[in-house]
Amino acid sequence: MRWSKFFIPTLREDPSEAEVISHKLLLRAGMIRKLASGIYNFLPLGFRALKKIENIVRQEMDSAGALEILMPLVQPAELWQETGRWNDYGKELLRFKDRKDHDFCLGPTHEEVVTDIVRRDVKSYKDLPLILYQIAVKFRDEIRPRFGIMRAREFIMKDAYSFDADWDGLDKSYQLMYETYQKIFSNCGLKFKAVEAHTGAIGGDVSHEFMVLAETGEDVLAFCEKCGYASNIELTPAVSGEKYSFESEKPLEKVYTPGVRTAQEVAEFLGLPVSKITKTLIYILNEEEAVAVCVRGDHEVNEVKLEKLFSGKSFRMANEEEVRKIVGASPGFIGPKNLKIKVIADKALEGYPNFVIGANEDDYHYINANLGSTFKPDLVADIRKATEGDLCPKCGEPLQFTRGIEVGHIFKLGTKYSESMKATFLDKDGKMKPFIMGCYGIGVSRVLAATIEQNHDENGIIFPWQIAPFQIAVLYLKEDFKENAEKVYKRLSQRWDVILDDRAERPGVKFKDLDLIGIPVQVIFGKNYEKNRKIEVKIRKTGERKYVSPEELENFINRFENEKD
Ligand code: ATP
Ligand code: MG
């Protein structure tokens, strides 16, 4: 490809609308443009990278024996009513009517549609297992679309669905997809981790997320270097490594704490560590019942654990006015003693001596509170996020933490969809049975953003070789070298994706642009070519420069391709 014939509208400045680095760089490199909130155009360079990711995904899915199909984005309400998700799925499901007043939605995921395909035409155990997949547009009317294509409303997903005759079959399909995902993300040149995960709105019992490791990730992962345990922190059981010292209970005492509200402020005011303060939060369940939740000041409530305790009821934090109405005091002064509502205390408060709680009266706290003697919670449970110092729930070694971006998610669904949609097959024993299902998603467009979050520097993107829109750029700094540069460009193009920077621009502009768009190898006909016919080869990732003769060039790049990791 010749740059002069291509379309890469690079930007010099950081666009003000972008908060995260991948969004900034995708815009600056001329790869995407925004059409509306959470809705993006992919320009030629961005589209090339996206296609590379798609092709890696397609190749591994195909070699796992999955069959590619294409399902419609627009889906009739009737299918969603069969599973109950027409009502249960939140506002992310964009519902609308056609001109005949029939209800439709834009597919945020395709369990209903694929189950419908299979129930119509797959009749016997002999046709199983079956894995169907597509790479297509999804629409989710996300409440806060942000970070560009990382959390978009319209995005590209690879979604796959497995159908098995029995649970052993599902285990095998799941394992096959797990391994396929490992290959896909390695082939994309990414550093990633598979972690145990929460199943959310999709449902099912077992699931794993695939996380691209990046400081800027929205998710926190806990993992154990010793035994290999890894989970999304939403799910990690909190196993404290702290031994509470024996300290006898001191008498409870009410203290005046004017205007000090947060755990940090109370700790400073009383001259105590923040771990000795507790936070009590009020939640509203199903818009009717209030519940108090109490954790240590240095711990954080884990709402996924609460969701499990509240067994599917909707819940939200009470607002200030509601807190005042329920407790009679302002948030910041709430505590578990003498509350008229249900109290859930975190396990870490058990045996924890002499801590501070709100007095349920403005400007007052109690010191020397103890679980049991000061208040008796209705329930003591693990409701906090695991944190630094906690132990691996499997082997007891200290846990490590890191941040990640979820790029893939696999689920064992079981019969959730096949039962509600009456999708059955005739089994060996002559009985009709529901299919045992799994589902497997990859956020293809998010992979592109995550790649950049993981691979960039102050000058721009550093594409991994495998998904670089162009792997090699050839440029010449003098018109005299043009002919030879063209020859090399043509020769390299027979094996690799090469762009020839034939623009009439200053060298400085070309170098800046090439660094920005992240091409892994730059082949430069410059000063050294003039001096001694040596071509300069710059490696984007390391900044290394090597000087090779035109005859050596191909071998050099060959070696780079093989040794790049
Ligand atoms: P998240 O927790 O990030 O909202 P999710 O759990 O809703 O994701 P899944 O339903 O598991 O996502 O979808 C499969 C994959 O699709 C995710 O792993 C992610 O990579 C991608 N994905 C989900 N939502 C978006 C989005 N709004 N924009 C881009 N990619 C997305
Ligand atoms: Mg998910």
Side-chain angles (χ1 to χ4, degrees), residues 293-344:
V293 164
C294 194
V295 295
R296 259 169 54 166
D298 58 336
H299 289 157
E300 261 181 86
V301 171
N302 181 331
E303 292 198 344
V304 169
K305 289 181 182 172
L306 286 187
E307 190 182 318
K308 285 195 181 140
L309 276 188
F310 299 156
S311 49
K313 288 184 189 152
S314 78
F315 67 96
R316 61 173 176 84
M317 247 197 329
N319 62 35
E320 223 175 302
E321 206 176 309
E322 288 169 322
V323 170
R324 241 179 249 119
K325 215 158 130 200
I326 296 161
V327 185
S330 311
F333 301 102
I334 311 301
K337 180 177 161 61
N338 294 338
L339 273 184
K340 298 206 169 51
I341 56 176
K342 208 169 164 185
V343 173
I344 304 176

Side-chain angles (χ1 to χ4, degrees), residues 38-158:
I39 302 180
Y40 286 86
N41 292 301
F42 283 86
L43 302 190
L45 194 68
F47 191 59
R48 279 184 79 101
L50 196 67
K51 285 282 151 194
K52 290 241 171 148
I53 299 166
E54 273 189 32
N55 286 339
I56 291 172
V57 171
R58 181 172 288 115
Q59 195 179 352
E60 290 305 326
M61 291 302 292
D62 289 349
S63 71
L67 308 176
E68 187 169 5
I69 59 173
L70 183 59
M71 293 180 271
L73 175 64
V74 173
Q75 309 181 3
E78 287 76 18
L79 283 184
W80 288 74
Q81 282 153 353
E82 283 188 54
T83 59
R85 287 210 292 183
W86 184 254
N87 293 325
D88 296 349
Y89 214 103
K91 286 195 173 165
E92 285 75 30
L93 183 66
L94 184 63
R95 302 159 174 93
F96 61 96
K97 287 186 191 294
D98 70 0
R99 65 167 77 197
K100 293 186 182 142
D101 216 26
H102 292 156
D103 285 313
F104 284 89
C105 63
L106 293 184
T109 175
H110 280 66
E111 284 80 12
E112 279 80 357
V113 176
V114 78
T115 306
D116 183 60
I117 294 176
V118 168
R119 75 175 165 184
R120 284 165 191 264
D121 286 298
V122 180
K123 307 285 182 204
S124 157
Y125 72 93
K126 290 180 199 148
D127 305 320
L128 302 177
L130 179 65
I131 303 180
L132 299 174
Y133 80 97
Q134 66 170 347
I135 298 176
V137 165
K138 293 275 180 283
F139 193 93
R140 295 182 179 182
D141 201 357
E142 297 270 354
I143 183 165
R144 269 190 298 144
R146 57 197 169 134
F147 308 154
I149 55 170
M150 188 89 85
R151 182 166 300 284
R153 293 198 294 164
E154 186 176 307
F155 58 97
I156 313 282
M157 198 200 285
K158 184 286 301 179

Side-chain angles (χ1 to χ4, degrees), residues 247-251 272 276 352-356 367-370:
E247 192 183 305
S248 52
E249 286 192 14
K250 296 183 190 155
L272 289 169
K276 276 289 176 189
Y352 194 47
N354 304 321
F355 50 87
V356 177
I367 57 170
N368 302 331
N370 286 277

